[in-house]
Structures are given as C-alpha cells and as structure tokens.
Amino acid sequence: MAKISFLWVGKTKEPWIKNGIEIYLKKIKHFVKIDVHTLKDTKRDGRSREASIVDAIPRDSFCVILDERGRSFNSEAFSKFISQRLTQPPNHIVFLLGGPYGLSPATKDKGDFILSLSPMTFTHEMARVILLEQVYRALTIEKGLPYHH
Amino acid sequence: MAKISFLWVGKTKEPWIKNGIEIYLKKIKHFVKIDVHTLKDTKRDGRSREASIVDAIPRDSFCVILDERGRSFNSEAFSKFISQRLTQPPNHIVFLLGGPYGLSPATKDKGDFILSLSPMTFTHEMARVILLEQVYRALTIEKGLPYHH
C-alpha cells in the first residue's frame, strides 16, 4: 500500500507551526497512509547524529531530501512527481528535513532526490508545514479535487 | 523615515497563521516602521474590487506584488533588494498580496516589481507569513545579526 513518511530532525517548538502541521497531517491522511518520525537533534557529536538520521531512512523507500539548492517544481509538476512515486514500487516516499544544524553532505548523498521548496531559506520548522501543504495540494490536484488558496 | 507596508486582500482566517503573522510583525517592528492594511475581498464585481486594491497602494512607494511567476531571490539577494529600496527614495516598500481570487493582470501591471517566493503555489494566507519571515530574515542579514535555521 502506498505510503508517505515524514522524517524530521528535532521537535517542532513553535506552537503556531505545530498547529499548522497537525491540520495538514489530518488532511493528508484522507488520501494516503502516512507516518511521522521526529529524530533527536544533538548539537554535538556530528557523526553519530548523522548516522542515526541515515539509519532512520526506511529501507525500500524513495527518499526525498529537502534543500534549497535542490530541484524545484511548480505545484502541478510536484503533484505528478508524487503520484508517480506512490504508484511505482516501492510505493513509499520519505521526505527528510534537517534540523537547525542542517544535514551533512554525506547524508544528502543518501537521498534519491533533492527537492527545493524555494531558493529562499526557510526556517526548518516552517519548511515542515510548507511541505505538508504542498503534499496535500499535490494529492488534491492528482484527484482533481477543488482546493483553493 | 524608511517604512514597509503590507497590503493584503481578505482577512487571515486560519488562527495558526494569524498567530505566526503576529509573531513576525512584532519581530520586524524592531527594525523598521511597518503598517498592515487588510483590504476587503469581494467575490463579485471584479472591476471595483481591483480598483479599490490599486487605490490602496500608497503613492510614492515602491510596490512589490507577489506572484509565483515573478522573479525569485535567495534570502541574501532578497536582503540586498530590501535594504537598497529602504535606503533609496521613496524609502517605502509596499508588499501587495492577492486574496483567494488572486489579482488581475491589470493590477499586477501597477507593481514596480513582481516577486516570487517559490515556483510552487502557496495558499494566500501562508504566503503572508512566509513573506514576513523572509522580510525579518532579510533585515537580520542586513544588520549582520545571527538568525539561524
């Protein structure tokens, strides 16, 4: 069964963003199976931190890592990208977002695709809710459902 | 005195976004004079709606209209753009964001600059808080202040 996993480093601290994340997770659940993994963020000991991030990427999944220097899509193209990935084996997309200290180049190399939401740098917490809104939008576009702004 | 105005069409309805907007407006106020104008959004009577939007753009200002088909910046370039505009006459930037029905091509022509936050389509409410965060980031970059994530 098709599935989307969200893997993020560090808890969401801003209450308003937490709220937005909950709203969009609920909406997305109507369309597809999802799960969310929040990894511990540790400032020190970079190597073990990164190893635990890489270990958390589910095997047999298509891993999309978010980075402003990645490839960008408009919302229609992003919808096609998601629906193709959900209908092709392994039918499992993982979105990995770094924490305040980002991700190492070695970790970024583990991704199957680097996605940019914008050339602008967003806070890592805001990037979560922006991504969720885009995934929700992508699923409504794919189903031909009305969804306005 | 340098000033930034935010002009948006229609009230912010989502409580979590309202909350985020308040947080960033407060942060931005530490750096620069700002004001916010919320214009009425009316579904019908397109022509008078658009005329009232155009009328609300302060004269003697540099008007930046947000549209995903506009020009994009990374956060550093956006910071330079803002600081140049604030230090050059008329020392007044206006950011105009459309409502759920967007802006007409004629209204978009009234802008001095069309800015894209991303090639992706965001909800018009989320675009408000994303813009505010970028303006805040731009001002901290200009002042050389630490602001991470």
Side-chain angles (χ1 to χ4, degrees):
Chain A
M1 191 183 155
K3 185 173 162 185
I4 302 179
S5 299
F6 298 96
L7 197 60
W8 32 64
V9 181
K11 284 187 186 169
T12 306
K13 286 171 193 156
E14 284 287 342
W16 68 277
I17 296 178
K18 243 187 202 170
N19 197 339
I21 287 173
E22 281 160 19
I23 288 168
Y24 280 107
L25 286 175
K26 237 182 245 172
K27 286 177 190 265
I28 294 169
K29 270 182 203 164
H30 291 294
F31 293 108
V32 65
K33 202 174 169 222
I34 55 171
D35 54 25
V36 180
H37 301 274
T38 305
L39 301 174
K40 246 195 202 164
D41 195 23
T42 49
K43 196 170 181 173
R44 305 272 173 88
D45 199 2
R47 192 172 291 182
S48 79
R49 181 177 73 106
E50 295 287 322
S52 71
I53 293 172
V54 170
D55 284 349
I57 301 172
R59 278 165 211 279
D60 212 18
S61 68
F62 185 84
C63 181
V64 178
I65 294 184
L66 271 79
D67 188 285
E68 69 239 40
R69 285 165 293 273
R71 279 179 56 192
S72 60
F73 287 123
N74 64 28
S75 297
E76 287 71 24
F78 185 55
S79 177
K80 273 183 201 145
F81 172 81
I82 287 195
S83 75
Q84 277 172 3
R85 287 293 156 193
L86 288 179
T87 50
Q88 279 167 23
N91 309 84
H92 185 187
I93 307 174
V94 177
F95 288 102
L96 170 58
L97 280 87
Y101 309 107
L103 295 170
S104 74
T107 301
K108 285 182 194 166
D109 280 349
K110 303 288 179 189
D112 298 299
F113 192 91
I114 310 285
L115 172 70
S116 167
L117 296 173
S118 165
M120 290 173 155
T121 306
F122 295 145
T123 72
H124 71 282
E125 294 203 358
M126 278 181 68
R128 294 174 186 183
V129 70
I130 293 168
L131 171 69
L132 290 174
E133 194 275 330
Q134 285 304 309
V135 169
Y136 174 66
R137 184 180 294 269
L139 295 168
T140 62
I141 290 170
E142 195 223 329
K143 303 275 178 202
L145 293 173
Y147 170 56
H148 295 289
H149 317 299
Chain B
M1 191 185 155
K3 185 174 162 184
I4 303 180
S5 300
F6 299 96
L7 196 60
W8 32 64
V9 181
K11 285 186 184 166
T12 306
K13 286 171 193 156
E14 284 287 342
W16 69 275
I17 296 177
K18 245 187 201 168
N19 198 338
I21 287 173
E22 280 159 20
I23 288 168
Y24 280 106
L25 286 175
K26 238 181 245 171
K27 285 177 190 266
I28 294 169
K29 270 182 203 163
H30 291 294
F31 293 108
V32 63
K33 203 176 166 220
I34 55 170
D35 55 24
V36 181
H37 301 274
T38 305
L39 301 175
K40 245 195 201 164
D41 195 23
T42 49
K43 195 170 182 174
R44 306 271 172 90
D45 199 3
R47 193 172 291 181
S48 78
R49 180 176 75 106
E50 295 287 323
S52 71
I53 294 171
V54 171
D55 284 349
I57 301 171
R59 279 165 210 281
D60 213 19
S61 67
F62 185 83
C63 181
V64 178
I65 294 184
L66 272 80
D67 187 285
E68 70 238 39
R69 285 166 294 271
R71 278 180 57 192
S72 60
F73 287 123
N74 64 28
S75 297
E76 287 72 23
F78 185 56
S79 177
K80 274 185 199 144
F81 172 81
I82 287 194
S83 75
Q84 277 174 2
R85 287 293 155 192
L86 288 179
T87 50
Q88 279 169 22
N91 310 84
H92 185 186
I93 307 175
V94 178
F95 289 102
L96 169 58
L97 281 87
Y101 309 109
L103 295 170
S104 74
T107 301
K108 285 182 195 165
D109 279 348
K110 303 288 179 189
D112 298 300
F113 192 90
I114 310 286
L115 172 70
S116 168
L117 295 173
S118 165
M120 289 174 155
T121 305
F122 296 145
T123 72
H124 71 281
E125 294 202 358
M126 279 181 66
R128 294 174 186 183
V129 71
I130 293 168
L131 171 69
L132 290 173
E133 193 275 330
Q134 285 304 309
V135 169
Y136 174 65
R137 183 180 295 269
L139 295 167
T140 62
I141 290 170
E142 195 223 327
K143 304 276 177 203
L145 293 173
Y147 172 57
H148 292 293
H149 339 283

